[in-house]
Amino acid sequence: SAGDREALAWVIGRVAGSAMTKGWGALVNYANEITETKKLVKNLAMRLFRVDLSRGWTKARMVFRQRLENERTRRKQRDWAAGYLKERMESISNMSARPPKIVRASAISAVQSKFRQYRQEKIFDRAYPLGSTVSTRVQQAQ
């Protein structure tokens, strides 16, 4: 029937179009591979022909790539350090300062404890000028 012929023609057209698309894709891939192979062979021939220049260019290329890598690493470290500093500054800005009364009291107690430690060490070494029998004002007041 006419409908079957039309459906069959449509299916054949689709299959043929798909096969042609795949064929052209394979042909383009093959052409690209051939072009790339020609470039590589030409490059190799020039490198073999000019060995003395090739060594210098190879080394220059390696040095250039190493410098790029060092710069990239330095940039990453700089960005990380900037982020870390920003984070620390934000955390410091969110902290509240201790009141002067508490700071003063802690400084005085730190000095007193250091002096007591110094005094005990000197008494133990028998080098404290006032001796071990001298009592402090607080001890005298008790």
Side-chain angles (χ1 to χ4, degrees), residues 68-94:
L68 286 180
E69 183 63 30
N70 290 345
E71 181 63 30
R72 191 176 304 124
T73 303
R74 192 169 28 254
R75 210 175 303 127
K76 280 174 47 178
Q77 288 175 344
R78 185 186 61 212
D79 293 344
W80 181 85
Y84 179 76
L85 283 175
K86 179 183 173 209
E87 178 183 313
R88 292 295 297 158
M89 294 299 273
E90 286 175 353
S91 68
I92 288 172
S93 68
N94 292 338

Side-chain angles (χ1 to χ4, degrees), residues 31-47:
N32 287 340
E33 285 180 17
I34 293 294
T35 305
E36 185 66 26
T37 303
K38 282 182 181 179
K39 285 180 186 176
L40 289 173
V41 167
K42 185 177 179 182
N43 192 4
L44 178 64
M46 289 306 291
R47 289 181 75 175

Side-chain angles (χ1 to χ4, degrees), residues 6 21 32 35 61-62 66 76 81 104 110 114 120 126 132:
E6 189 177 318
T21 302
N32 287 340
T35 305
R61 189 179 304 118
M62 286 175 31
Q66 184 65 39
K76 280 174 47 178
R104 191 178 307 116
K114 293 284 184 184
Q120 291 299 324
R126 298 181 184 268
S132 59

